[in-house]
Amino acid sequence: MKYVIALDVGGTGMKAALLAQDGSVLFEARRPTGREHGTDAVVAAILDFAADLADEGRSRFGCAPLAAGVAVPGTIDEGNGIAVFSANLGWRDLPMRKLLGERLGGLPVALGHDVRSGGLAEGRIGAGRGVDRFLFIALGTGIAGAIGIGGRIEAGAHGYGGEIGHVVVRPGGPACGCGARGCLETLASASAVSRAWAAASGDPEADAAACALAVDAGDERALTVWRNAVDALADGIVLAQSLLDPSTVIVGGGLAEAGDTLFTPLRAAVTERLTFQMPPKVVPAMLKDTAASLGAGLLAWDLLSKEVTA
């Protein structure tokens, strides 16, 4: 049995799989990241998890994994295998590929950005399968994206391709952590909707999921909050449509769990804003929270393919 290790490192938890070449999952596991114990503990947890996955594979299939792929948040240098910076996990210039390769006995290791890895998986084995050009948008604590072209993800000249969350859609709007104002993620992310609904409802514990339920119940305050977020997201999608002309926009992340409550008004809002542009299909992501780990595994298989053809 040929397989690779696929690992997605999140702010609070890690998701992993042993992945066959056709993208099928042979084994799945999850563990906490342990960031409350500090950066060194997080790195140790990642390395230990990967080693345990390799042991699991040997036990199940009687052979070692061929490679490993790891997807991480923050800024990365894919070419050199360095996790440059993560505010949530606390590292700077972490030689992730080298550390993981050494722990796994010299296995080849691919390093990827979590959202771009998720986009890769959605494009190849998820909602974008068979689509030549797509835009993947993840609506979570922030908003990030991935540009899919011909079965690969376009990272851009400096590794920041797809950062639709930092497109300014409301000039002079809310301050963003990036230093700008009115960025899409300050208005349409799950955390932005949570903040707006908490303020509108007077309940400091209210979140985006509660807002979606209130929208379904016809609450006018929730409808206003939701409409503002949908309008901002539609503006961002139309801007991307003008620049990239994808045939499909795949929307994932926590906010997409609202289903038709999000997608019905979003599709209408996008259509209303288009002039000469061809309308994209706006569809929900299929792979949910496993997308990034599956994408990491696909990166590992890609790495092996490159080594064969080199």
Side-chain angles (χ1 to χ4, degrees):
M1 172 63 70
K2 295 181 179 180
Y3 67 95
V4 298
I5 294 170
L7 181 58
D8 168 33
V9 180
T12 58
M14 295 183 286
K15 308 171 195 69
L18 300 179
L19 202 68
Q21 192 165 9
D22 63 359
S24 59
V25 175
L26 306 174
F27 174 77
E28 288 182 291
R30 299 188 181 217
R31 283 187 188 176
T33 304
R35 65 176 178 175
E36 67 275 13
H37 302 301
T39 302
D40 290 345
V42 169
V43 175
I46 294 168
L47 301 182
D48 288 347
F49 198 10
D52 289 346
L53 288 162
D55 289 342
E56 182 71 33
R58 291 188 188 93
S59 174
R60 285 174 174 265
F61 310 120
C63 58
L66 298 177
V70 57
V72 300
T75 306
I76 67 168
D77 177 349
E78 290 186 35
N80 292 306
I82 296 172
V84 178
F85 175 68
S86 171
N88 286 334
L89 298 175
W91 58 51
R92 283 185 181 274
D93 298 322
L94 180 72
M96 179 67 79
R97 185 170 66 197
K98 178 176 180 289
L99 292 173
L100 200 53
E102 289 175 349
R103 183 61 182 272
L104 295 173
L107 280 188
V109 174
L111 174 67
H113 182 268
D114 55 353
V115 175
R116 289 199 293 271
S117 297
L120 178 67
E122 285 290 348
R124 289 196 190 170
I125 59 177
R129 177 180 286 188
V131 177
D132 184 57
R133 282 174 169 78
F134 67 87
L135 175 65
F136 172 65
I137 303 175
L139 307 175
T141 303
I143 295 179
I147 303 164
I149 303 174
R152 64 181 181 84
I153 299 299
E154 174 53 59
H158 307 97
Y160 300 131
E163 287 288 356
I164 192 171
H166 297 290
V167 167
V168 174
V169 294
R170 299 290 182 271
C176 180
C178 76
R181 285 188 170 274
C183 289
L184 180 58
E185 74 172 41
T186 68
L187 299 151
S189 63
S191 57
V193 173
S194 294
R195 288 192 300 270
W197 178 231
S201 66
D203 177 4
E205 301 300 318
D207 60 10
C211 185
L213 291 174
V215 168
D216 291 339
D219 187 302
E220 287 296 331
R221 300 168 301 170
L223 285 165
T224 298
V225 168
W226 201 254
R227 189 178 304 114
N228 289 340
V230 167
D231 285 348
L233 182 56
D235 287 340
I237 289 174
V238 170
L239 190 155
Q241 190 68 20
S242 298
L243 291 174
L244 305 172
D245 190 29
S247 62
T248 303
V249 175
I250 303 168
V251 182
L255 205 60
E257 297 298 314
D260 288 344
T261 302
L262 174 66
F263 285 94
T264 298
L266 179 60
R267 290 178 182 126
V270 169
T271 301
E272 288 170 2
R273 286 161 169 75
L274 295 172
T275 54
F276 66 90
Q277 306 95 330
M278 291 296 292
K281 292 180 180 178
V282 180
V283 302
M286 286 178 55
L287 303 176
K288 310 300 181 185
D289 68 346
T290 64
S293 64
L294 295 175
L298 294 175
L299 287 174
W301 280 113
D302 286 355
L303 184 62
L304 290 171
S305 297
K306 290 176 184 176
E307 290 186 347
V308 168
T309 57

